[in-house]
Amino acid sequence: MKLLILDRDGTLNRSRDDYVASADEWEPLPGALEAIARLNHGGWRVVLATNQSGLGRGMFDMASLNAIHTKMHRALAAVGGRVEAVFFCPHAPEDACTCRKPAPGLFEQIGERFGLPLADVPAAGNALRHVQAAAAAGCPTHLLMTGKSEHLRGQVDTLVPRAPPSTALLGLPPGTCVHADLAAFADWLLAQDPTADARASGLAPL
């Protein structure tokens, strides 16, 4: 099984200054849904790991979160994509839980659920805390220059798999690769397996 862990807000959908608190506020980033579909066709199963402290702060409830994810799953299905599961931390920062990123708890839960060593599970997201949590759990780490990291465009060399020296100045874990967005990350990941890349492009049978 090939498993991939992604962040949600700012990676798959547009982030907000406060919270994505309703289905109406959930808006996919250009090309992100299609990128997941291509990864699926390349043999990758995708799960999300996301902090949702708006629950703990009382900014929205579980019904609203479920409605957001229902909209997300339907939008993905419309382009031939699928997210296997959404692992989320509902706690506020003061709760001092072990699952709120940058703590690695969500990633450890995913590894246990799917029975995979996390060293074999790449993780990509737009926030430093996502990358730090992934590294703490042992995942190969990738930063996307969208959402919280959009300001880094033009400051960091996005040629991968080389991790530029400048990534150390950003506080990124050693070996972190940097990509323009989810589509660029999907391109890179699929290129590591030419057969998968061909399947994702419709050039080989699934």
Side-chain angles (χ1 to χ4, degrees):
M1 179 194 306
K2 297 191 297 185
L3 189 68
L4 166 65
I5 302 174
L6 297 179
D7 191 18
R8 197 195 79 177
D9 299 334
T11 295
L12 178 58
N13 57 275
R14 296 189 188 279
S15 57
R16 295 171 57 92
D17 292 336
D18 47 9
Y19 303 98
V20 178
S22 69
D24 288 342
E25 293 176 351
W26 188 88
E27 180 183 359
L29 288 169
L33 302 182
E34 292 80 3
I36 289 180
R38 288 193 291 116
L39 287 165
N40 293 156
H41 283 272
W44 288 93
R45 299 176 70 177
V46 177
V47 298
L48 302 186
T50 176
N51 286 352
Q52 293 298 323
S53 66
L55 285 169
R57 298 173 195 261
M59 304 300 295
F60 54 87
D61 57 17
M62 274 302 305
S64 297
L65 186 63
N66 288 337
I68 289 169
H69 290 151
T70 295
K71 180 179 179 180
M72 177 191 74
H73 288 303
R74 287 174 176 169
L76 279 164
V79 297
R82 174 183 170 85
V83 163
E84 299 287 331
V86 181
F87 289 73
F88 64 91
C89 169
H91 304 108
E94 58 269 22
D95 293 332
C97 65
T98 60
C99 55
R100 178 175 167 82
K101 297 180 288 185
L106 287 180
F107 294 83
E108 293 167 351
Q109 291 175 28
I110 292 168
E112 291 173 5
R113 173 78 64 85
F114 288 89
L116 293 175
L118 290 172
D120 298 332
V121 181
N126 71 100
L128 176 60
R129 63 191 176 194
H130 180 89
V131 178
Q132 290 172 329
C139 296
T141 52
H142 300 263
L143 180 74
L144 311 182
M145 291 191 293
T146 53
K148 294 185 182 300
S149 295
E150 191 168 5
H151 66 284
L152 298 177
R153 288 179 181 269
Q155 298 181 41
V156 178
D157 186 348
T158 59
L159 295 177
V160 290
R162 186 167 63 87
S166 54
T167 59
L169 302 177
L170 303 174
L172 294 172
T176 299
C177 292
V178 183
H179 310 262
D181 53 23
L182 185 55
F185 171 62
D187 288 342
W188 177 81
L189 195 59
L190 291 168
Q192 309 311 301
D193 180 353
T195 301
D197 193 27
R199 290 199 303 270
S201 302
L203 301 178
L206 292 176

